[in-house]
mmCIF file of all heavy atoms in Angstrom:
data_model
loop_
_atom_site.group_PDB
_atom_site.id
_atom_site.type_symbol
_atom_site.label_atom_id
_atom_site.label_comp_id
_atom_site.label_asym_id
_atom_site.label_seq_id
_atom_site.Cartn_x
_atom_site.Cartn_y
_atom_site.Cartn_z
ATOM 1 N N PRO A 56 8.884 47.821 18.038
ATOM 2 C CA PRO A 56 9.234 46.469 18.477
ATOM 3 C C PRO A 56 8.697 45.423 17.494
ATOM 4 O O PRO A 56 7.603 45.585 16.950
ATOM 5 C CB PRO A 56 8.532 46.322 19.826
ATOM 6 C CG PRO A 56 7.978 47.657 20.163
ATOM 7 C CD PRO A 56 7.895 48.445 18.903
ATOM 8 N N ILE A 57 9.466 44.372 17.276
ATOM 9 C CA ILE A 57 9.059 43.300 16.367
ATOM 10 C C ILE A 57 9.287 41.947 17.024
ATOM 11 O O ILE A 57 10.371 41.666 17.517
ATOM 12 C CB ILE A 57 9.843 43.355 15.041
ATOM 13 C CG1 ILE A 57 9.638 44.704 14.341
ATOM 14 C CG2 ILE A 57 9.430 42.207 14.122
ATOM 15 C CD1 ILE A 57 10.453 44.866 13.076
ATOM 16 N N GLU A 58 8.258 41.122 17.003
ATOM 17 C CA GLU A 58 8.349 39.742 17.482
ATOM 18 C C GLU A 58 8.519 38.836 16.262
ATOM 19 O O GLU A 58 7.755 38.939 15.302
ATOM 20 C CB GLU A 58 7.078 39.340 18.233
ATOM 21 C CG GLU A 58 7.070 37.917 18.730
ATOM 22 C CD GLU A 58 8.160 37.640 19.738
ATOM 23 O OE1 GLU A 58 8.415 38.477 20.618
ATOM 24 O OE2 GLU A 58 8.769 36.548 19.635
ATOM 25 N N PHE A 59 9.513 37.954 16.278
ATOM 26 C CA PHE A 59 9.748 37.035 15.175
ATOM 27 C C PHE A 59 9.102 35.685 15.454
ATOM 28 O O PHE A 59 9.215 35.158 16.556
ATOM 29 C CB PHE A 59 11.240 36.808 14.944
ATOM 30 C CG PHE A 59 11.992 38.023 14.514
ATOM 31 C CD1 PHE A 59 13.170 38.375 15.148
ATOM 32 C CD2 PHE A 59 11.551 38.820 13.466
ATOM 33 C CE1 PHE A 59 13.887 39.486 14.757
ATOM 34 C CE2 PHE A 59 12.245 39.930 13.060
ATOM 35 C CZ PHE A 59 13.426 40.273 13.707
ATOM 36 N N LYS A 60 8.455 35.155 14.436
ATOM 37 C CA LYS A 60 7.921 33.792 14.454
ATOM 38 C C LYS A 60 8.292 33.157 13.128
ATOM 39 O O LYS A 60 8.720 33.830 12.200
ATOM 40 C CB LYS A 60 6.396 33.792 14.648
ATOM 41 C CG LYS A 60 5.982 34.254 16.029
ATOM 42 C CD LYS A 60 6.462 33.276 17.069
ATOM 43 C CE LYS A 60 6.342 33.776 18.482
ATOM 44 N NZ LYS A 60 6.983 32.894 19.430
ATOM 45 N N VAL A 61 8.141 31.852 13.041
ATOM 46 C CA VAL A 61 8.432 31.162 11.791
ATOM 47 C C VAL A 61 7.198 30.408 11.341
ATOM 48 O O VAL A 61 6.358 30.019 12.144
ATOM 49 C CB VAL A 61 9.641 30.207 11.914
ATOM 50 C CG1 VAL A 61 10.907 30.990 12.189
ATOM 51 C CG2 VAL A 61 9.417 29.157 12.974
ATOM 52 N N GLY A 62 7.108 30.228 10.028
ATOM 53 C CA GLY A 62 5.948 29.552 9.484
ATOM 54 C C GLY A 62 6.233 28.966 8.129
ATOM 55 O O GLY A 62 7.377 28.924 7.677
ATOM 56 N N GLY A 63 5.189 28.536 7.503
ATOM 57 C CA GLY A 63 5.309 27.951 6.176
ATOM 58 C C GLY A 63 3.976 27.995 5.465
ATOM 59 O O GLY A 63 2.980 28.464 6.013
ATOM 60 N N PHE A 64 3.969 27.510 4.259
ATOM 61 C CA PHE A 64 2.745 27.447 3.471
ATOM 62 C C PHE A 64 2.405 25.980 3.248
ATOM 63 O O PHE A 64 3.198 25.242 2.684
ATOM 64 C CB PHE A 64 2.920 28.166 2.134
ATOM 65 C CG PHE A 64 1.663 28.197 1.329
ATOM 66 C CD1 PHE A 64 0.674 29.127 1.601
ATOM 67 C CD2 PHE A 64 1.452 27.275 0.316
ATOM 68 C CE1 PHE A 64 -0.496 29.151 0.859
ATOM 69 C CE2 PHE A 64 0.272 27.282 -0.433
ATOM 70 C CZ PHE A 64 -0.703 28.228 -0.152
ATOM 71 N N MET A 65 1.255 25.578 3.727
ATOM 72 C CA MET A 65 0.791 24.202 3.567
ATOM 73 C C MET A 65 -0.335 24.195 2.539
ATOM 74 O O MET A 65 -1.366 24.838 2.761
ATOM 75 C CB MET A 65 0.261 23.659 4.900
ATOM 76 C CG MET A 65 1.277 23.613 6.013
ATOM 77 S SD MET A 65 2.471 22.306 5.847
ATOM 78 C CE MET A 65 1.452 20.891 6.155
ATOM 79 N N PRO A 66 -0.144 23.500 1.406
ATOM 80 C CA PRO A 66 -1.222 23.447 0.408
ATOM 81 C C PRO A 66 -2.526 22.981 1.044
ATOM 82 O O PRO A 66 -2.561 22.016 1.802
ATOM 83 C CB PRO A 66 -0.696 22.428 -0.612
ATOM 84 C CG PRO A 66 0.798 22.493 -0.469
ATOM 85 C CD PRO A 66 1.041 22.746 0.995
ATOM 86 N N GLY A 67 -3.592 23.704 0.771
ATOM 87 C CA GLY A 67 -4.895 23.382 1.332
ATOM 88 C C GLY A 67 -5.148 23.954 2.713
ATOM 89 O O GLY A 67 -6.282 23.988 3.167
ATOM 90 N N LYS A 68 -4.101 24.386 3.394
ATOM 91 C CA LYS A 68 -4.257 24.937 4.737
ATOM 92 C C LYS A 68 -3.860 26.393 4.826
ATOM 93 O O LYS A 68 -4.194 27.084 5.765
ATOM 94 C CB LYS A 68 -3.447 24.132 5.756
ATOM 95 C CG LYS A 68 -3.941 22.726 5.931
ATOM 96 C CD LYS A 68 -3.202 22.029 7.037
ATOM 97 C CE LYS A 68 -3.759 20.634 7.198
ATOM 98 N NZ LYS A 68 -3.163 19.919 8.299
ATOM 99 N N GLY A 69 -3.064 26.860 3.878
ATOM 100 C CA GLY A 69 -2.633 28.247 3.906
ATOM 101 C C GLY A 69 -1.371 28.429 4.720
ATOM 102 O O GLY A 69 -0.612 27.478 4.952
ATOM 103 N N PHE A 70 -1.157 29.634 5.174
ATOM 104 C CA PHE A 70 0.032 29.959 5.940
ATOM 105 C C PHE A 70 -0.141 29.548 7.390
ATOM 106 O O PHE A 70 -1.213 29.694 7.968
ATOM 107 C CB PHE A 70 0.329 31.465 5.876
ATOM 108 C CG PHE A 70 0.841 31.889 4.539
ATOM 109 C CD1 PHE A 70 -0.024 32.368 3.574
ATOM 110 C CD2 PHE A 70 2.193 31.783 4.238
ATOM 111 C CE1 PHE A 70 0.439 32.734 2.334
ATOM 112 C CE2 PHE A 70 2.668 32.162 3.004
ATOM 113 C CZ PHE A 70 1.786 32.642 2.045
ATOM 114 N N THR A 71 0.924 29.009 7.967
ATOM 115 C CA THR A 71 0.919 28.628 9.369
ATOM 116 C C THR A 71 2.041 29.367 10.078
ATOM 117 O O THR A 71 2.961 29.880 9.447
ATOM 118 C CB THR A 71 1.133 27.105 9.534
ATOM 119 O OG1 THR A 71 2.410 26.775 8.983
ATOM 120 C CG2 THR A 71 0.048 26.318 8.831
ATOM 121 N N SER A 72 1.952 29.415 11.386
ATOM 122 C CA SER A 72 2.959 30.106 12.175
ATOM 123 C C SER A 72 3.108 29.431 13.529
ATOM 124 O O SER A 72 2.162 28.854 14.046
ATOM 125 C CB SER A 72 2.545 31.567 12.388
ATOM 126 O OG SER A 72 3.387 32.194 13.329
ATOM 127 N N THR A 73 4.305 29.550 14.099
ATOM 128 C CA THR A 73 4.466 29.119 15.484
ATOM 129 C C THR A 73 3.650 30.068 16.361
ATOM 130 O O THR A 73 3.498 31.244 16.036
ATOM 131 C CB THR A 73 5.946 29.143 15.903
ATOM 132 O OG1 THR A 73 6.488 30.434 15.609
ATOM 133 C CG2 THR A 73 6.752 28.081 15.180
ATOM 134 N N PRO A 74 3.095 29.575 17.454
ATOM 135 C CA PRO A 74 2.239 30.429 18.291
ATOM 136 C C PRO A 74 3.049 31.382 19.159
ATOM 137 O O PRO A 74 4.233 31.166 19.411
ATOM 138 C CB PRO A 74 1.488 29.417 19.161
ATOM 139 C CG PRO A 74 2.393 28.231 19.235
ATOM 140 C CD PRO A 74 3.133 28.186 17.925
ATOM 141 N N LEU A 75 2.392 32.434 19.588
ATOM 142 C CA LEU A 75 2.968 33.326 20.598
ATOM 143 C C LEU A 75 2.700 32.711 21.968
ATOM 144 O O LEU A 75 1.644 32.114 22.195
ATOM 145 C CB LEU A 75 2.311 34.704 20.551
ATOM 146 C CG LEU A 75 2.628 35.589 19.351
ATOM 147 C CD1 LEU A 75 1.741 36.819 19.358
ATOM 148 C CD2 LEU A 75 4.076 36.004 19.350
ATOM 149 N N ARG A 76 3.638 32.876 22.874
ATOM 150 C CA ARG A 76 3.427 32.436 24.250
ATOM 151 C C ARG A 76 2.456 33.412 24.937
ATOM 152 O O ARG A 76 2.365 34.576 24.539
ATOM 153 C CB ARG A 76 4.750 32.393 25.005
ATOM 154 C CG ARG A 76 5.730 31.377 24.462
ATOM 155 C CD ARG A 76 6.987 31.250 25.327
ATOM 156 N NE ARG A 76 7.427 32.473 25.954
ATOM 157 C CZ ARG A 76 8.274 33.362 25.428
ATOM 158 N NH1 ARG A 76 8.767 33.160 24.228
ATOM 159 N NH2 ARG A 76 8.639 34.429 26.088
ATOM 160 N N PRO A 77 1.755 32.979 25.970
ATOM 161 C CA PRO A 77 0.839 33.885 26.676
ATOM 162 C C PRO A 77 1.510 35.181 27.142
ATOM 163 O O PRO A 77 0.905 36.253 27.059
ATOM 164 C CB PRO A 77 0.360 33.048 27.863
ATOM 165 C CG PRO A 77 0.425 31.645 27.356
ATOM 166 C CD PRO A 77 1.659 31.597 26.474
ATOM 167 N N ALA A 78 2.767 35.112 27.582
ATOM 168 C CA ALA A 78 3.464 36.329 28.030
ATOM 169 C C ALA A 78 3.697 37.286 26.863
ATOM 170 O O ALA A 78 3.656 38.508 27.039
ATOM 171 C CB ALA A 78 4.806 35.963 28.683
ATOM 172 N N GLN A 79 3.922 36.745 25.666
ATOM 173 C CA GLN A 79 4.116 37.603 24.496
ATOM 174 C C GLN A 79 2.800 38.268 24.090
ATOM 175 O O GLN A 79 2.779 39.454 23.737
ATOM 176 C CB GLN A 79 4.682 36.783 23.333
ATOM 177 C CG GLN A 79 6.092 36.282 23.592
ATOM 178 C CD GLN A 79 6.528 35.285 22.541
ATOM 179 O OE1 GLN A 79 5.785 34.401 22.141
ATOM 180 N NE2 GLN A 79 7.774 35.431 22.096
ATOM 181 N N ILE A 80 1.720 37.521 24.140
ATOM 182 C CA ILE A 80 0.405 38.092 23.830
ATOM 183 C C ILE A 80 0.086 39.208 24.810
ATOM 184 O O ILE A 80 -0.379 40.284 24.422
ATOM 185 C CB ILE A 80 -0.688 36.996 23.845
ATOM 186 C CG1 ILE A 80 -0.433 36.018 22.689
ATOM 187 C CG2 ILE A 80 -2.080 37.595 23.771
ATOM 188 C CD1 ILE A 80 -1.289 34.766 22.743
ATOM 189 N N GLU A 81 0.346 38.968 26.082
ATOM 190 C CA GLU A 81 0.070 39.979 27.105
ATOM 191 C C GLU A 81 0.942 41.210 26.906
ATOM 192 O O GLU A 81 0.491 42.340 27.084
ATOM 193 C CB GLU A 81 0.277 39.380 28.504
ATOM 194 C CG GLU A 81 0.050 40.351 29.641
ATOM 195 C CD GLU A 81 -1.362 40.933 29.721
ATOM 196 O OE1 GLU A 81 -2.292 40.412 29.080
ATOM 197 O OE2 GLU A 81 -1.534 41.932 30.441
ATOM 198 N N TRP A 82 2.211 41.030 26.535
ATOM 199 C CA TRP A 82 3.090 42.181 26.282
ATOM 200 C C TRP A 82 2.494 43.046 25.177
ATOM 201 O O TRP A 82 2.405 44.271 25.314
ATOM 202 C CB TRP A 82 4.496 41.702 25.882
ATOM 203 C CG TRP A 82 5.450 42.848 25.757
ATOM 204 C CD1 TRP A 82 6.320 43.289 26.710
ATOM 205 C CD2 TRP A 82 5.627 43.717 24.623
ATOM 206 N NE1 TRP A 82 7.018 44.381 26.229
ATOM 207 C CE2 TRP A 82 6.602 44.674 24.954
ATOM 208 C CE3 TRP A 82 5.034 43.801 23.367
ATOM 209 C CZ2 TRP A 82 7.017 45.672 24.081
ATOM 210 C CZ3 TRP A 82 5.435 44.800 22.495
ATOM 211 C CH2 TRP A 82 6.419 45.723 22.854
ATOM 212 N N HIS A 83 2.075 42.430 24.080
ATOM 213 C CA HIS A 83 1.497 43.181 22.960
ATOM 214 C C HIS A 83 0.195 43.859 23.376
ATOM 215 O O HIS A 83 -0.051 45.013 23.002
ATOM 216 C CB HIS A 83 1.262 42.263 21.749
ATOM 217 C CG HIS A 83 2.514 41.992 20.986
ATOM 218 N ND1 HIS A 83 3.034 42.868 20.069
ATOM 219 C CD2 HIS A 83 3.361 40.947 21.010
ATOM 220 C CE1 HIS A 83 4.136 42.371 19.547
ATOM 221 N NE2 HIS A 83 4.366 41.200 20.116
#
Side-chain angles (χ1 to χ4, degrees):
I57 302 176
E58 178 63 41
F59 296 131
K60 291 295 169 188
V61 295
F64 183 80
M65 299 286 290
K68 294 186 178 184
F70 288 94
T71 61
S72 170
T73 53
L75 290 172
R76 296 186 326 271
Q79 293 170 317
I80 294 170
E81 179 61 15
W82 186 96
H83 282 279

